[in-house]
Each structure stands twice: as structure tokens, then as C-alpha cells.
Amino acid sequence: MAIRPPAVTFVLHDAGETKAMQPVMQNLDNQGIPYSILAEATAKKLLENDPHLVPSSGDVVQLAKNNPAIATMAQARLQNAMQAPCTVTGLVSDFQKQWAGFFKASGKRVVGYYDAFSFDRFTNRAETFKGLLTHLITPTLDSARFFQQRFGNIPVVALGQPSLEESTRTIRQVNRPVFAQQLGIDLNQPTLLFVGSYGPGYPEAFSLFLETIRRFPYTNVLLSLHPKSDGQYEQAMLQQAGLQDRVRIVPRGISTMETLAVTDVVLAHQSTVSTQALLQGKQVIQLGSVPQSDFDPIQQYQVAPRCETSAHLAQALAQAIPEARSARTVPPDEHRINMLYQLFGLPRQASQRITQFLLLLAGQQNAKNPSLAA
């Protein structure tokens, strides 16, 4: 029996791009539109049980050593994925570059998706995909304008960040008392969440966090590790500071978005979660310095403090904690959230916009042209 050819093939590597595309995939499922997924690294782990995940060529070779019949089926699925008229790829790895080049050479539509809200103005790795894409999607108008100048000859459009919609649903579905018990925290106390990252400036920001939380003993303190982190650095630093019993590391099976449901104040060095938390109505404080080359919407529009000293961070926390506590009993300030969406040039209904955009490129006759306005 012939396999129905996919309308779209997703090529994924990072957690951010994968979580952004999952609501789009759900839309395709809901519409009965077939799609395939080629994945590696973190994306492959996140999607390991997804029926749309296609074995890579390396997987097929390995299967052929043990079960030729299954290898033949896997090869057929891989060949089928290669026939999709439209491909969506993250802009991170050589794996994605190779597939983008293959699909572009095959005359397919190749759509890059840049999932972050911030970007490096000078050494952005997305620019290494020049010549491999036919279209580029970004979350915000700022990033769309930036990349349009870099890519020039292809359409670059801001269609939003679908993971924001999923974050809202996730937070609303969490049973806070049960979840707090699972994390071992007391909801009668304020909860601080430090969001881990990596790269230049992170060790200094993490040290700043550890130094300052000593001043706030009557708080719950949680640490959400970055998907690329094994936690060894953070655990060693906690041990060195004598805070291993004070700071609870959020288990891997619990997402940062779930943890936001019981969080009052988010602290982060440089993370997409900062922007996501702001757009969920949370108090956010950024820590440490960032390279001058980086564009960060929170810093650009000065909608949350950035602290580089313990004294400044303590002052910001002393103000943020009571404000966050008083906000617990009222719904999120939708007026402020709407203003942030507009300020960031961030379109709403992102998953629907991106789904329709991809179907239009894939030649689906029933697809509607999405509005590209913020």
C-alpha cells in the first residue's frame, strides 16, 4: 500500500524550534494533512514517540544490519519525506543545512524558522543558511526586518511564536496545589524561578543569583535547567555555595512552562523564557550583562529590569515579590500583555498563521493566505 505523500517535512534540531512547531503539527493533524519529521539531537529525543518521525539515513543503515524488512520500510518512509513540496527547517545545525540544500536543489519550497526573540547583530548562525532557503519566518517584526536586510532576495515574514499559545494552555491546566506538592514547595511563600542558559556571561549571572537569594530566606527557589545542560555545573556551584538544599532543581520531566504556573518571579540571564514569562503576565528580572551585539526585545523596550550587581538585584526582587504576590488573586493583566505583543511586533494566533502559510506554499488548494500584520 502506497504511503500518502506529506505536504510538509519538518527538519528539527533544537528544543525551541521543536516546541514552536508542535502546535503547527497539531493543526496539520487536526486537518488530516500528512507531514513528516526529520530530527536529530534534542529534537529527536523530544519527538522519539511521534509517529511522524522518520528514520534518518544512518538509522536505515543500522536497521539493515538487524532487520532488512524493517529497514526497507524505513527507507520507503525516508524517500516519502523527501517528496514533500514544502520543508520547514530550524537554522542551527549542519544536519539542517544538508537537508535544506537537498530540498532547495530539488526545487522544493524551503522555509527557515528562527524561533528566538533575540538575535546577534553580527555573528548570527542563521545567516549561514543564505542560499539554502526560499522563505524565512520569524516571531517578531524586529527580527523580520533584521533578517530581511541579511537575506535580501527571499521573503521574510513575522508570523509569531506558536509556543506562546501552548504555554498559556499549559499554565492554565496545571493544578497548582498538586504541582506544588510534587515540587516540594509551599504556595504560601513567594516562588522564584531561575531559568538556566549557557554561553558567555552565564556563570557570572548564575553566581549573582546564588549570592542574592541568601537575602530572601522566606521564598521557594527553583532552578530550571537549559535543555542542553546536564546540570553538573549548576549542582557543583550549589554545593560550593552551600545552597544545595535551598534551591530545588526542577526534574527533567517537568517543563519550564508548567513550572511558571506556580512561579511569582522569573530570573534569567539570556533566555526566550524571559519573554514568554512576561507575555504570561509574570514578573521578570534579567541578570548579568549581555553582549552589545545582541538585540533583546526586553532590553530594547525596557520592560523589565536587568541587574548586574547583588544590591541591584536585591532591590529589584524586593519590589517584584510583593507585586507578584498581589497579582496572584487577579487574572493576568490582558491590557498590559496586549501592549507587549504590540510593542514587540509579535503577531497573535501564530500556529494558525504558520500552518496556513506552509499549506499555501505546499500548494494546498484550501489554504488561505494568512494575514502578516502584527
Side-chain angles (χ1 to χ4, degrees):
M1 183 175 178
I3 305 174
R4 188 180 174 192
V8 182
T9 290
F10 296 86
V11 186
L12 305 171
H13 172 95
D14 264 354
E17 68 202 29
T18 302
K19 291 176 180 178
M21 288 297 107
Q22 282 179 310
V24 175
M25 296 175 194
Q26 185 61 57
N27 285 343
L28 295 176
D29 278 328
N30 293 342
Q31 296 179 47
I33 296 172
Y35 62 90
S36 296
I37 304 170
L38 298 167
E40 63 168 353
T42 303
K44 193 170 185 177
K45 293 179 182 178
L46 291 172
L47 299 168
E48 61 183 350
N49 296 318
D50 194 303
H52 299 278
L53 184 63
V54 175
S56 67
S57 55
D59 293 333
V60 172
V61 171
Q62 188 62 38
L63 285 169
K65 297 178 181 177
N66 304 315
N67 193 320
I70 294 179
T72 300
M73 294 174 60
Q75 180 66 33
R77 291 188 63 201
L78 180 59
Q79 291 290 337
N80 196 52
M82 293 161 62
Q83 303 306 311
C86 180
T87 300
V88 185
T89 180
L91 305 173
V92 177
S93 69
D94 289 339
F95 171 84
Q96 291 169 318
K97 286 181 189 177
Q98 290 165 2
W99 277 114
F102 167 80
F103 282 110
K104 178 78 179 299
S106 301
K108 313 293 187 183
R109 303 292 182 92
V110 183
V111 183
Y113 183 66
Y114 183 84
D115 64 279
F117 298 106
S118 59
F119 50 85
D120 188 310
R121 294 182 176 96
F122 302 113
T123 58
N124 199 291
R125 60 188 175 185
E127 294 183 53
T128 63
F129 282 73
K130 282 182 181 179
L132 302 177
L133 308 177
T134 62
H135 299 75
L136 177 60
I137 298 172
T138 73
T140 68
L141 291 174
D142 283 319
S143 52
R145 294 187 190 105
F146 171 80
F147 284 114
Q148 187 67 77
Q149 293 175 350
R150 272 29 182 210
F151 283 80
N153 63 335
I154 66 171
V156 181
V157 291
L159 295 181
Q161 171 53 278
S163 61
L164 288 169
E165 303 160 27
E166 191 61 30
S167 299
T168 300
R169 282 191 289 268
T170 298
I171 291 171
R172 288 175 179 172
Q173 290 170 359
V174 168
N175 184 318
R176 294 180 73 251
V178 172
F179 194 68
Q181 186 176 22
Q182 184 179 354
L183 287 173
I185 62 174
D186 181 1
L187 283 181
N188 293 315
Q189 294 184 342
T191 299
L192 313 179
L193 172 65
F194 182 87
V195 181
S197 62
Y198 61 97
Y202 176 60
E204 293 79 8
F206 190 63
S207 295
L208 175 60
F209 158 70
L210 295 181
E211 178 185 352
T212 309
I213 60 170
R214 297 179 188 278
R215 306 189 190 190
F216 297 88
Y218 301 107
T219 57
N220 306 306
V221 185
L222 301 174
L223 166 60
S224 180
L225 297 171
H226 190 275
K228 288 186 177 179
S229 170
D230 59 11
Q232 291 186 12
Y233 167 75
E234 287 84 356
Q235 288 173 342
M237 290 295 291
L238 289 172
Q239 288 280 350
Q240 182 177 325
L243 293 170
Q244 66 273 17
D245 297 324
R246 175 86 172 88
V247 179
R248 298 179 182 275
I249 297 179
V250 178
R252 284 294 190 187
I254 297 175
S255 72
T256 303
M257 291 304 111
E258 289 175 303
T259 310
L260 277 182
V262 295
T263 295
D264 293 301
V265 182
V266 173
L267 303 100
H269 169 237
Q270 198 170 7
S271 172
T272 298
V273 175
S274 297
T275 306
Q276 291 176 324
L278 267 181
L279 294 169
Q280 298 299 331
K282 299 293 180 179
Q283 293 283 330
V284 171
I285 302 173
Q286 294 185 298
L287 277 61
S289 60
V290 295
Q292 291 298 312
S293 62
D294 282 8
F295 176 93
D296 173 44
I298 294 179
Q299 189 160 322
Q300 174 75 15
Y301 299 110
Q302 298 183 350
V303 291
R306 177 171 286 280
C307 303
E308 298 187 37
T309 67
S310 183
H312 188 192
L313 177 55
Q315 181 182 18
L317 275 171
Q319 179 178 340
I321 289 173
E323 290 181 5
R325 293 277 287 175
S326 64
R328 276 186 176 186
T329 58
V330 297
D333 187 345
E334 288 297 332
H335 177 67
R336 172 172 167 73
I337 292 173
N338 285 333
M339 288 185 62
L340 287 172
Y341 269 91
Q342 293 176 17
L343 188 64
F344 293 160
L346 180 62
R348 296 260 197 169
Q349 299 180 319
S351 62
Q352 188 61 31
R353 289 172 183 267
I354 293 175
T355 302
Q356 293 299 328
F357 186 80
L358 298 180
L359 291 180
L360 193 68
L361 294 180
Q364 297 288 319
Q365 297 301 313
N366 60 343
K368 297 178 181 179
N369 191 9
S371 169
L372 305 186

